[in-house]
Amino acid sequence: MKRSRIMAGIKGLVFLVVLTFQWTHVTGDTEVSCIFMESCMLPCSYGGRDVVIHWIQVSTGDITVHSFYHNQDQLERQNQHFRGRTSLFNDQISTGNASLQLTKVEVQDEGKYKCYISTIDGNKESFINLKIDAQIQKVNIQQVGNIITCSSEGIYPKPELTWSTSPPSNITSKDITVQPTEQLLYNISSSLIVSDSETDLDYSCTISTRRNRKKATLFKPDPANDSPQSPNSNQLRATRGGIIGGLFVIAALAVLAVSAAVLCWSKKKDVSSALHTNQESTNTSDTKQAASFEQLLLSSNNYS
Ligand SMILES: *[C@@H]1O[C@H](CO)[C@@H](O)[C@H](O)[C@H]1NC(C)=O
Ligand SMILES: *[C@@H]1O[C@H](CO)[C@@H](O)[C@H](O)[C@H]1NC(C)=O
Ligand SMILES: *[C@@H]1O[C@H](CO)[C@@H](O)[C@H](O)[C@H]1NC(C)=O
């Protein structure tokens, strides 16, 4: 009899231990990734009544992110870093939803969070690992002289940059500069010096993080144009364009002078209708210009 009572006692003790173990158990961490400056939800749920919820950022030395008890938010002890950026789904707390909504996510928010739950049935802790990503928006690539520069801004985590060419070749210099910004994001840039033997290549720059990857390509100068790509040849092209444009204007003026002389002989009405068809039939800027010169000439004719 005595023995069975002891056995019952032991059984009860074991039951209690198991119970305690079950009810204050610690679950495995949940991984959550959020986008820089967007909203983010850290999931947490529970069963039971009269809930006390504490959201704690563990990785920064247990700072209070958000608390809820006595049926309302309790923000007196909230760390100011989270001020105005946290909320619970208040209409769903009674149904066991203790998830935290965090807005305007910053890089500093990254880290480990604890959701501490206490109800009349016991306590529960669960952990969230929050990761932040500021994705690569745009990769800029440009050439000045014989230096090609590739850059991108506002990236997190630290990006990587690689150069490649088409057709493949070994590329000479590849210094990569990564600069942290005030928001703890990264600016990245790299410059490449193109030797004269390497001008016949397409240069590509790829920037990547764990979340995304973007590539920009600088295509080799079109062989149909004159070959060596340098600011000088661009200037030359611009000058040539100017000369050709000038010739057009001179030609147009000559045509105008002749037509004006001819037009002086005819009646004004006929002239304006002829002018009208001329404007409609073509669309290049040179003829438009010519037309407006003609109009100018005409209006001065009208006064004389
Ligand atoms: C809590 O409520 C939000 C908003 O309705 C929902 O998106 C989320 O999935 C819920 N989380 C849990 C753990 O029930
Ligand atoms: C390419 O790299 C190889 C070995 O790394 C080197 O021997 C060769 O000279 C390089 N070629 C050019 C065009 O730089
Ligand atoms: C990073 O890039 C941004 C956008 O171009 C610029 O405003 C900022 O000054 C840069 N920061 C650093 C540290 O280079």
Side-chain angles (χ1 to χ4, degrees):
M1 274 304 209
K2 209 177 178 183
R3 206 178 198 179
S4 67
R5 203 177 291 164
I6 292 167
M7 286 295 285
I10 290 170
K11 263 187 201 163
L13 201 68
V14 169
F15 181 63
L16 258 180
V17 168
V18 169
L19 208 73
T20 315
F21 179 72
Q22 270 187 341
W23 290 48
T24 51
H25 74 293
V26 175
T27 54
D29 295 5
T30 306
E31 303 291 326
V32 172
S33 287
C34 294
I35 307 290
F36 181 72
M37 279 300 142
E38 293 193 355
S39 290
C40 178
M41 194 189 67
L42 311 190
C44 184
S45 60
Y46 69 95
R49 289 182 292 123
D50 296 336
V51 71
V52 172
I53 302 170
H54 289 298
W55 275 98
I56 311 284
Q57 193 179 23
V58 186
S59 51
T60 49
D62 284 352
I63 65 172
T64 302
V65 177
H66 197 106
S67 294
F68 179 98
Y69 47 87
H70 299 333
N71 269 313
Q72 58 184 30
D73 290 323
Q74 308 282 349
L75 302 178
E76 307 78 45
R77 300 184 58 204
Q78 181 183 49
N79 186 283
Q80 64 164 15
H81 175 66
F82 292 100
R83 190 151 299 161
R85 296 198 299 130
T86 63
S87 58
L88 303 177
F89 298 98
N90 287 40
D91 54 332
Q92 288 178 56
I93 291 176
S94 58
T95 65
N97 188 333
S99 301
L100 178 78
Q101 175 90 358
L102 188 60
T103 59
K104 293 184 191 153
V105 167
E106 300 168 4
V107 173
Q108 292 96 321
D109 298 337
E110 204 168 58
K112 187 166 177 166
Y113 289 77
K114 174 163 76 180
C115 171
Y116 172 87
I117 297 286
S118 179
T119 67
I120 50 171
D121 300 326
N123 306 329
K124 189 188 103 168
E125 291 181 347
S126 58
F127 292 91
I128 307 285
N129 269 324
L130 176 61
K131 290 199 160 64
I132 309 299
D133 290 282
Q135 304 200 5
I136 302 156
Q137 304 294 332
K138 186 171 182 280
V139 175
N140 311 300
I141 189 165
Q142 61 170 14
Q143 179 167 6
V144 176
N146 64 339
I147 297 174
I148 299 177
T149 304
C150 173
S151 65
S152 188
E153 292 99 32
I155 304 166
Y156 191 88
K158 201 177 235 180
E160 286 178 356
L161 187 153
T162 55
W163 286 100
S164 61
T165 63
S166 172
S169 73
N170 33 2
I171 309 163
T172 45
S173 130
K174 41 182 166 185
D175 297 324
I176 297 167
T177 310
V178 181
Q179 284 185 307
T181 71
E182 282 168 26
Q183 295 173 303
L184 303 183
L185 306 176
Y186 293 101
N187 289 359
I188 191 167
S189 73
S190 175
S191 290
L192 204 67
I193 297 163
V194 186
S195 71
D196 292 341
S197 61
E198 289 167 327
T199 51
D200 202 24
L201 298 170
D202 293 342
Y203 286 88
S204 293
C205 165
T206 304
I207 297 178
S208 57
T209 63
R210 62 180 170 216
R211 261 303 191 75
N212 72 335
R213 157 192 298 263
K214 283 224 162 95
K215 183 175 179 179
T217 301
L218 189 72
F219 293 99
K220 63 169 169 275
D222 191 343
N225 295 336
D226 43 3
S227 43
Q229 177 74 12
S230 71
N232 281 350
S233 76
N234 280 344
Q235 261 172 20
L236 207 70
R237 221 169 282 160
T239 318
R240 193 181 299 162
I243 291 169
I244 290 170
L247 285 175
F248 261 111
V249 171
I250 290 167
L253 282 173
V255 168
L256 282 180
V258 171
S259 55
V262 170
L263 288 174
C264 279
W265 295 96
S266 47
K267 285 177 183 176
K268 280 172 195 171
K269 231 180 184 179
D270 299 336
V271 170
S272 58
S273 74
L275 173 66
H276 195 68
T277 45
N278 182 31
Q279 263 180 336
E280 269 183 355
S281 62
T282 53
N283 208 17
T284 70
S285 58
D286 286 313
T287 31
K288 255 189 201 155
Q289 215 172 12
S292 60
F293 274 127
E294 198 165 1
Q295 213 153 27
L296 207 72
L297 233 65
L298 274 173
S299 53
S300 60
N301 276 345
N302 285 349
Y303 286 120
S304 60

